Amino acid sequence: MEATHEVICGLDAPCHAFSAKQSSAAPTWTPKNGRQKKKTSGASLSGVDVAKEVDFPSWYQQVLLKGEMIDYYDISGCYILRPGSWEIWEILHEWFNREIRKMGVRNCSFPLFVTEDMLNKEQNHIDGFSAEVAWVTQSGSSKLDKKIAIRPTSETIIYPYLASWIKSWRELPLRLNQWNSVVRWEFKNPQPFLRSREFYWQEGHTSHLSCQGADQEVLQILDLYSCLYHDFLAIPVVPGRKTEKEKFAGADYTTTVEAYIPATGRAIQGATSHGLGQNFSKMFNITVEAPCEGQSEERTKKTFLWQNSWAYSTRVLGVMVMVHGDDKGLVIPPRVAPAQVILVPVGITASTTEDVKQSLVEAMADTRETLQDADIRVESDLREEYSPGWKFNHWELKGVPLRLEIGPKELQTGCASYARRDNGDKGSISFASLAAQVAEQLASIQSDMYTRALEKFRDNLKIITNWADFTPAINCKHLCLVPFCLKEDCEDKIKKMSEGTLDPGSEHDARAPSMGAKSLCIPFQQPSDLKGTNTACLREGCERMAEKWCMFGRSY
Amino acid sequence: MEATHEVICGLDAPCHAFSAKQSSAAPTWTPKNGRQKKKTSGASLSGVDVAKEVDFPSWYQQVLLKGEMIDYYDISGCYILRPGSWEIWEILHEWFNREIRKMGVRNCSFPLFVTEDMLNKEQNHIDGFSAEVAWVTQSGSSKLDKKIAIRPTSETIIYPYLASWIKSWRELPLRLNQWNSVVRWEFKNPQPFLRSREFYWQEGHTSHLSCQGADQEVLQILDLYSCLYHDFLAIPVVPGRKTEKEKFAGADYTTTVEAYIPATGRAIQGATSHGLGQNFSKMFNITVEAPCEGQSEERTKKTFLWQNSWAYSTRVLGVMVMVHGDDKGLVIPPRVAPAQVILVPVGITASTTEDVKQSLVEAMADTRETLQDADIRVESDLREEYSPGWKFNHWELKGVPLRLEIGPKELQTGCASYARRDNGDKGSISFASLAAQVAEQLASIQSDMYTRALEKFRDNLKIITNWADFTPAINCKHLCLVPFCLKEDCEDKIKKMSEGTLDPGSEHDARAPSMGAKSLCIPFQQPSDLKGTNTACLREGCERMAEKWCMFGRSY
């Protein structure tokens, strides 16, 4: 098995929309064994009581519930997004909205409902969704004349109207976006954020005069999605193109950013940006009279528009939790944390004088104000019925990036004590330069979280050139870059052949799922150019030449 | 019939959340006759071709469609909110979010769906909605075991979870809010923004330890709603309490801000803030162990929480259009206008030199930048295929508050020409002090729009103390303040007795609807205290004493 650390497939490529300063400091990473021991004592009853590495599904459930991100709901596959998760969503929303506005995207809102006729208009498209559509058939106690679908996505809701709105090629590109929820009534095992019957997203729908204009935007948006993961969620992603088999139903092509969950060794599709070509514009007759290329503006011809659609969903929150969370609970990257700093008063004993208590109250208030003035999101926990230790656990469970402790000792020394959530580092910060030093700590936490996630992804991304090495690598929780013919039947066979294959001699992990490996994407940044190299497709039995390096792995 | 201009019922009461400087300049108001003439010539084909005063329903439809606020949708009662309206909604959203965050409200998101059992839990509540509930009974091609409702509102979705979340009285008040859409499958005549089967709103749901705490918040939120109308939409409202008959299903009491549509003489409920009392907390067992009043903290008792819910919806956009729009189209108040200023190049003729054209292009770009730097939302219309006159009509139709024209003459004089959308005033603004003067114009437009709307409301709010004057006043498009016994049966009779009564001698307007008058609210600011004055209830035949002045009128 061949592996290299140089293969990064755009993993740590800089984003264009936002330039984050990456710290070069070496990350401190608790060794795996140290993290596996179960919580034994001293912790609150409400803490996470299962290790991430031991029982990942239960761990995920517990951190979400006990960390107060979600609650389960009366209807299977639907979840309550509590403020702890929704406010992260809002921070991302605000940034993304600002970025797309700069591109000329305008927000709007189309109805939740769609008629059966409209939904069925694009056949490939509806084939991808029909089994999951929820239907309204009744209002009050009356049966509706015609059943009405709840949108699984909005292409067929929006596009009929574009035909009447777009009157001239000069109004192009027309870029619309909406923030909403969509419903896909899946019966597979539901999971909060990753697979839910109702989920939240933004869906962008744009129309262009030229194929080039549309193609350019597909990548511009994908770059924003990379930034969202990279700069906000501190998660590396591999940008690439989906194979024909995995592309969006009705699209010409789909681009994606793929993330990696180290604990399960599975990849996850992070967000997608689709080039729809003229498929929908031909179906819905979305045309303009456009000037013929290279001719004077007087000579025009009817042109079907080139369309894109693109979306990221609340799934991003699930990826964030899975990548960063640890045995103490959530670990939220500072840039998206609703509370970046938690202030906890400490060191108060029976012998603490009223004067000192009063100074402490004032110091807490001053600190809070100083940080707020510096646009740092800060909370203080002044509850008297809980001990400092209880509070430490509580806020660690909720993933607050930085804890500041202030007590009589801190008042004397003029320095607050701090503890970092991500690596447990402790130290002190002078009250005199509080805001600047806290901001520095937060930046360092953000950057270290990214660096650690990047190392884990890089260590588990393997170049595989012999079929014999493929399934063992997949079973070792790796993602594999392989030379691939790109054909759908070959992809099906690879999936089949890598299913539940327990190689006795391998480092196979009994907890790994036994599903087959899927193609994740054809990374834009290829390890090498396979054209003309006469490299065979990886799969045993495939007699075709490889077209591209393709990333395969078990996947959510 | 007695009428007074002093009766304002809190109409122009200052808001606490935002202090707007009101201009004292006398507004210029085109006389009614001048506005009635139909557009005859010179206008684009896409202009509004019916006068507001002549055929209000058609006018409303046209300004919304041609002003590109909405489009009609394939499903009756559902509308597309195009960027022209959605971006106004977003501006309000952003402000309101900021204000409630200051109060400690946190945003979250509960599911769209609710089971039949949950929905039916509070009987009075569900009785108010059951006829309008949309039911999902099918997914893909399979029938669901149990039908599932789409939320008409979220009390019974949210409250079962509060019981498990609220662990201590120290965590109170718990204030949650969500931005979503709800569905009420009404069969009455649908109208964009005012009555639609799906509509957008925010719904706040809060839980308090004490009745006083809850009551205080009800009014604090109502004050925000007043500000939203007053400061943003330039619309006066009367704040008050709903009668028992008109309160929210399941609430102890409902407070409201009521607006007035001069063109139809009808009132409209602007937004409501409900005190739910302990009705839902008893139903869903939402309790804490709270310290007994006046006792040490050790003695506690089980206390049912006091709850509120409050909401404003996209209806606010409809009210804005109806109040301010004119025969040329929409008139958007500057504070909520997605584009506050439109730049139009003018005066280019066949003899204009290339040099001048080039200077013009630069001046347009400079002007745009100057305004953007001053946080003024500005668009420029550089399309060459349309004449300046066509553009003037186009942007007037869309309601942009201020138009700036720049041409060769303006370059020479160093002053841009301007035209105000609200009153047609024209003048010039020096390029040297552009941003400051434009900001001043926008503030003046905002304030003048409010003042005009206030005068119209004030002129049509009448004190009525004789039953004989009531229906004629209603028929004259007035709202009436009447001494009222507050009893439901009396309210029913007033409605019945004022239905379609065409008093031959009155100034009755044949276009006014013939529905009966409803109670709108009991204004907080009463014209006088009726207690102990032995004033009879207004209605002929009612033998009870009046309890309060109550505002009646035809209503949306």
Side-chain angles (χ1 to χ4, degrees):
Chain A
M1 193 191 312
E2 188 187 330
T4 166
H5 272 213
E6 278 83 64
V7 178
I8 48 168
C9 290
L11 257 184
D12 59 0
C15 291
H16 306 305
F18 176 83
S19 62
K21 208 174 67 189
Q22 287 302 321
S23 151
S24 58
T28 319
W29 188 243
T30 318
K32 192 167 161 180
N33 287 344
R35 307 187 80 70
Q36 270 187 349
K37 72 166 194 288
K38 280 224 182 187
K39 199 178 284 284
T40 47
S41 71
S44 110
L45 284 174
S46 61
V48 178
D49 62 15
V50 57
K52 187 178 183 182
E53 297 286 338
V54 171
D55 180 357
F56 186 78
S58 305
W59 172 87
Y60 183 60
Q61 195 180 75
Q62 285 199 14
V63 290
L64 292 181
L65 284 173
K66 296 182 174 179
E68 298 185 353
M69 276 205 146
I70 65 146
D71 206 341
Y72 283 87
Y73 187 63
D74 223 24
I75 297 172
S76 163
C78 293
Y79 304 95
I80 298 161
L81 272 58
R82 300 183 66 179
S85 60
W86 192 254
E87 289 175 354
I88 298 175
W89 183 245
E90 289 188 317
I91 288 167
L92 295 173
H93 173 139
E94 213 171 287
W95 168 76
F96 191 77
N97 240 357
R98 220 169 29 236
E99 292 298 320
I100 58 176
R101 224 175 269 156
K102 286 184 210 159
M103 291 171 58
V105 177
R106 300 192 65 186
N107 284 342
C108 57
S109 196
F110 282 77
L112 173 68
F113 298 115
V114 52
T115 62
E116 191 167 12
D117 286 351
M118 279 168 82
L119 189 63
N120 290 342
K121 198 107 182 205
E122 217 282 356
Q123 199 51 45
N124 286 327
H125 179 66
I126 188 55
D127 287 352
F129 292 106
S130 58
E132 301 170 357
V133 171
W135 293 96
V136 175
T137 63
Q138 190 183 327
S139 77
S141 50
S142 341
K143 202 169 169 293
L144 297 183
D145 286 344
K146 285 183 172 184
K147 66 180 181 182
I148 291 173
I150 301 178
R151 63 181 162 218
T153 179
S154 301
E155 280 76 3
T156 58
I157 291 178
I158 296 177
Y159 299 173
Y161 295 90
L162 298 180
S164 70
W165 292 350
I166 300 171
K167 295 189 182 94
S168 152
W169 64 274
R170 294 177 196 263
E171 293 160 16
L172 298 173
L174 176 69
R175 309 188 207 234
L176 297 174
N177 178 66
Q178 60 182 4
W179 296 88
N180 57 7
S181 72
V182 291
V183 171
R184 298 180 188 172
W185 210 263
E186 298 195 70
F187 288 93
K188 290 181 215 159
N189 191 25
Q191 276 218 295
F193 298 127
L194 301 201
R195 190 181 297 282
S196 56
R197 285 176 168 174
E198 182 190 11
F199 63 85
Y200 307 88
W201 71 359
Q202 59 65 223
E203 46 175 331
H205 296 273
T206 64
S207 305
H208 303 256
L209 184 59
S210 74
C211 175
Q212 295 91 311
D215 286 348
Q216 192 184 8
E217 186 200 75
V218 165
L219 295 182
Q220 210 177 345
I221 292 292
L222 198 73
D223 193 47
L224 287 179
Y225 293 150
S226 290
C227 288
L228 188 146
Y229 275 97
H230 181 291
D231 297 337
F232 285 81
L233 302 174
I235 291 172
V237 286
V238 172
R241 184 173 166 139
K242 288 279 181 190
T243 59
E244 286 301 296
K245 178 177 162 61
E246 293 291 334
K247 75 180 185 186
F248 179 65
D252 262 12
Y253 66 95
T254 288
T255 67
T256 177
V257 290
E258 296 284 322
Y260 172 69
I261 313 295
T264 58
R266 288 163 72 180
I268 185 160
Q269 176 180 304
T272 47
S273 178
H274 314 292
L276 304 178
Q278 296 174 312
N279 302 334
F280 289 87
S281 69
K282 285 185 175 159
M283 207 53 71
F284 292 104
N285 201 30
I286 309 170
T287 63
V288 290
E289 284 296 325
C292 299
E293 220 171 319
Q295 311 247 355
S296 87
E297 285 196 7
E298 274 86 66
R299 286 201 48 193
T300 61
K301 63 170 183 189
K302 180 173 157 180
T303 309
F304 289 98
L305 300 189
W306 296 82
Q307 296 186 279
N308 297 333
S309 71
W310 28 269
Y312 78 87
S313 77
T314 32
R315 160 175 283 209
V316 301
L317 302 177
V319 180
M320 180 196 75
V321 170
M322 289 182 159
V323 168
H324 297 302
D326 65 20
D327 290 353
K328 290 177 167 177
L330 298 166
V331 184
I332 317 282
R335 284 202 69 180
V336 296
Q340 297 171 312
V341 177
I342 180 71
L343 298 184
V344 180
V346 295
I348 300 163
T349 64
S351 63
T352 308
T353 65
E354 282 306 314
D355 274 4
V356 171
K357 278 188 194 165
Q358 187 52 36
S359 312
L360 206 49
V361 167
E362 283 162 20
M364 292 286 292
D366 286 351
T367 305
R368 191 187 164 112
E369 207 186 313
T370 305
L371 295 179
Q372 274 173 338
D373 287 349
D375 283 329
I376 291 164
R377 295 185 291 268
V378 57
E379 300 279 345
S380 30
D381 188 344
L382 303 174
R383 290 175 293 180
E384 287 174 15
E385 70 270 38
Y386 297 116
S387 70
W390 187 95
K391 290 179 186 176
F392 294 176
N393 288 336
H394 177 74
W395 295 105
E396 280 172 2
L397 180 58
K398 296 185 97 172
V400 177
L402 192 69
R403 180 176 75 233
L404 287 186
E405 302 160 19
I406 306 180
K409 196 193 75 183
E410 282 75 11
L411 291 185
Q412 268 190 333
T413 59
C415 288
S417 305
Y418 74 81
R420 277 173 61 154
R421 175 65 185 90
D422 65 321
N423 61 7
D425 274 4
K426 292 187 169 64
S428 64
I429 288 179
S430 160
F431 285 116
S433 55
L434 194 79
Q437 281 195 67
V438 165
E440 219 168 85
Q441 285 290 339
L442 293 174
S444 158
I445 294 169
Q446 179 81 30
S447 143
D448 290 355
M449 286 178 72
Y450 177 77
T451 305
R452 281 193 296 273
L454 177 63
E455 280 171 6
K456 289 237 161 176
F457 198 159
R458 208 188 257 157
D459 290 350
N460 284 286
L461 181 55
K462 305 293 182 189
I463 286 202
I464 300 291
T465 51
N466 294 312
W467 175 250
D469 298 331
F470 181 76
T471 308
I474 294 291
N475 284 341
C476 286
K477 299 185 174 180
H478 298 322
L479 304 188
C480 300
L481 268 168
V482 310
F484 182 47
C485 68
L486 299 183
K487 293 292 181 297
E488 190 158 341
D489 67 306
C490 191
E491 200 167 331
D492 289 337
K493 283 176 187 144
I494 289 175
K495 191 173 179 192
K496 192 80 199 151
M497 289 162 79
S498 57
E499 247 170 34
T501 332
L502 300 188
D503 180 0
S506 80
E507 313 158 49
H508 174 71
D509 182 333
R511 283 167 292 125
S514 60
M515 65 178 71
K518 291 192 338 186
S519 85
L520 306 167
C521 73
I522 306 157
F524 291 135
Q525 190 182 315
Q526 293 271 303
S528 66
D529 189 357
L530 291 178
K531 242 184 210 158
T533 60
N534 276 340
T535 308
C537 175
L538 178 81
R539 183 179 61 82
E540 193 170 71
C542 179
E543 294 180 350
R544 287 178 289 245
M545 287 297 113
E547 296 282 333
K548 289 279 182 185
W549 291 96
C550 184
M551 189 164 77
F552 276 81
R554 296 208 165 99
S555 162
Y556 281 90
Chain B
M1 192 190 314
E2 188 187 330
T4 164
H5 272 212
E6 278 83 64
V7 178
I8 48 170
C9 290
L11 258 183
D12 59 0
C15 291
H16 306 306
F18 176 83
S19 61
K21 209 174 65 189
Q22 288 302 322
S23 152
S24 60
T28 320
W29 188 243
T30 318
K32 192 167 159 180
N33 286 344
R35 307 188 81 71
Q36 272 187 348
K37 72 167 194 287
K38 282 227 183 184
K39 201 179 280 285
T40 47
S41 71
S44 107
L45 282 176
S46 60
V48 178
D49 62 15
V50 58
K52 187 178 184 183
E53 297 286 338
V54 172
D55 180 356
F56 186 77
S58 304
W59 172 87
Y60 183 61
Q61 194 181 75
Q62 284 199 16
V63 289
L64 292 181
L65 285 172
K66 296 182 175 179
E68 298 184 355
M69 276 205 146
I70 66 147
D71 205 341
Y72 282 86
Y73 188 63
D74 222 23
I75 297 171
S76 164
C78 294
Y79 304 95
I80 298 161
L81 272 58
R82 300 182 66 178
S85 60
W86 192 255
E87 289 175 354
I88 298 176
W89 182 245
E90 289 188 316
I91 288 168
L92 295 173
H93 174 139
E94 212 171 289
W95 168 77
F96 190 78
N97 239 358
R98 219 167 32 235
E99 292 298 320
I100 59 176
R101 225 177 268 156
K102 286 183 209 158
M103 291 172 57
V105 177
R106 300 192 65 187
N107 285 342
C108 57
S109 197
F110 283 78
L112 174 68
F113 298 115
V114 53
T115 62
E116 192 168 11
D117 287 352
M118 280 168 81
L119 189 63
N120 289 343
K121 198 108 182 204
E122 217 282 358
Q123 199 51 47
N124 286 328
H125 179 67
I126 187 56
D127 287 352
F129 291 107
S130 57
E132 302 170 357
V133 171
W135 294 97
V136 175
T137 64
Q138 189 184 327
S139 77
S141 51
S142 340
K143 203 170 169 291
L144 298 183
D145 287 344
K146 286 184 172 185
K147 66 182 180 180
I148 291 173
I150 301 179
R151 63 182 162 218
T153 178
S154 301
E155 279 77 3
T156 59
I157 291 178
I158 296 177
Y159 298 174
Y161 296 91
L162 298 181
S164 70
W165 292 350
I166 300 172
K167 294 188 183 95
S168 153
W169 63 273
R170 294 177 196 263
E171 293 161 18
L172 299 173
L174 177 69
R175 309 188 206 235
L176 297 174
N177 178 66
Q178 61 182 2
W179 295 89
N180 57 8
S181 72
V182 291
V183 171
R184 299 182 187 170
W185 210 263
E186 299 194 70
F187 288 93
K188 291 180 214 159
N189 191 25
Q191 275 218 295
F193 300 125
L194 302 201
R195 190 181 295 284
S196 56
R197 286 176 168 172
E198 181 190 11
F199 62 85
Y200 306 88
W201 71 358
Q202 59 66 223
E203 45 174 332
H205 295 274
T206 65
S207 304
H208 303 256
L209 184 59
S210 74
C211 175
Q212 295 90 312
D215 286 348
Q216 193 185 8
E217 186 200 75
V218 165
L219 295 182
Q220 210 178 345
I221 292 293
L222 198 73
D223 193 47
L224 287 179
Y225 293 150
S226 290
C227 288
L228 188 146
Y229 275 97
H230 182 291
D231 297 337
F232 285 80
L233 302 174
I235 291 172
V237 287
V238 171
R241 183 173 167 139
K242 288 277 181 191
T243 59
E244 287 301 297
K245 178 177 161 61
E246 293 291 334
K247 75 180 185 186
F248 179 64
D252 263 11
Y253 66 95
T254 288
T255 67
T256 178
V257 291
E258 297 284 321
Y260 172 68
I261 312 295
T264 59
R266 288 163 73 180
I268 185 159
Q269 176 182 304
T272 47
S273 178
H274 314 292
L276 304 179
Q278 296 175 312
N279 302 335
F280 288 88
S281 69
K282 285 185 175 160
M283 206 53 71
F284 292 103
N285 201 31
I286 309 170
T287 64
V288 290
E289 284 296 325
C292 299
E293 218 171 319
Q295 312 246 356
S296 86
E297 285 197 4
E298 273 86 66
R299 287 200 50 192
T300 61
K301 62 172 183 186
K302 181 172 156 181
T303 308
F304 289 99
L305 299 188
W306 296 82
Q307 296 185 280
N308 297 334
S309 71
W310 28 269
Y312 79 86
S313 76
T314 32
R315 162 176 283 210
V316 302
L317 302 176
V319 179
M320 180 197 75
V321 170
M322 288 182 159
V323 168
H324 297 302
D326 65 20
D327 290 354
K328 290 177 167 178
L330 298 166
V331 183
I332 317 282
R335 283 203 68 182
V336 296
Q340 297 171 312
V341 177
I342 179 71
L343 298 184
V344 181
V346 296
I348 301 162
T349 63
S351 63
T352 308
T353 64
E354 281 306 314
D355 275 3
V356 171
K357 278 188 194 165
Q358 187 53 35
S359 313
L360 207 48
V361 166
E362 283 162 19
M364 292 286 291
D366 286 351
T367 304
R368 192 187 164 113
E369 207 186 313
T370 304
L371 295 179
Q372 274 173 338
D373 287 349
D375 283 329
I376 291 165
R377 296 185 289 269
V378 55
E379 299 280 346
S380 30
D381 188 344
L382 303 174
R383 292 175 291 180
E384 286 174 16
E385 70 270 38
Y386 296 115
S387 71
W390 188 96
K391 291 179 187 177
F392 294 176
N393 288 335
H394 177 74
W395 295 104
E396 280 172 2
L397 179 59
K398 296 186 98 172
V400 177
L402 192 69
R403 179 177 76 234
L404 286 185
E405 302 160 19
I406 306 180
K409 195 193 75 182
E410 282 75 12
L411 291 185
Q412 268 191 333
T413 59
C415 289
S417 304
Y418 74 80
R420 277 173 62 155
R421 175 64 184 90
D422 65 320
N423 62 8
D425 273 5
K426 292 186 169 66
S428 64
I429 287 178
S430 159
F431 286 115
S433 55
L434 193 79
Q437 280 195 65
V438 165
E440 217 169 88
Q441 285 291 338
L442 292 175
S444 157
I445 294 168
Q446 180 81 28
S447 141
D448 289 355
M449 285 177 73
Y450 177 77
T451 305
R452 280 193 297 272
L454 177 63
E455 280 171 5
K456 290 236 160 177
F457 198 158
R458 208 188 258 157
D459 290 350
N460 284 286
L461 180 55
K462 304 293 182 188
I463 286 202
I464 300 290
T465 50
N466 294 312
W467 175 251
D469 297 331
F470 181 77
T471 308
I474 294 291
N475 285 340
C476 286
K477 299 184 175 179
H478 298 323
L479 305 186
C480 299
L481 268 169
V482 309
F484 182 47
C485 67
L486 300 182
K487 293 292 180 298
E488 191 159 339
D489 66 307
C490 191
E491 200 166 329
D492 289 338
K493 282 176 187 145
I494 289 175
K495 190 172 179 193
K496 193 77 200 153
M497 289 161 79
S498 57
E499 245 170 31
T501 332
L502 299 189
D503 180 2
S506 79
E507 313 158 49
H508 175 71
D509 183 332
R511 283 166 292 124
S514 58
M515 65 178 71
K518 290 193 337 187
S519 85
L520 305 167
C521 73
I522 307 158
F524 292 135
Q525 190 182 314
Q526 293 272 302
S528 66
D529 188 358
L530 290 178
K531 241 183 209 160
T533 59
N534 276 340
T535 308
C537 175
L538 178 81
R539 183 180 58 83
E540 193 170 70
C542 179
E543 294 180 350
R544 286 177 291 245
M545 287 297 114
E547 296 282 333
K548 289 279 182 186
W549 291 96
C550 184
M551 189 163 77
F552 276 81
R554 296 207 165 101
S555 163
Y556 281 90

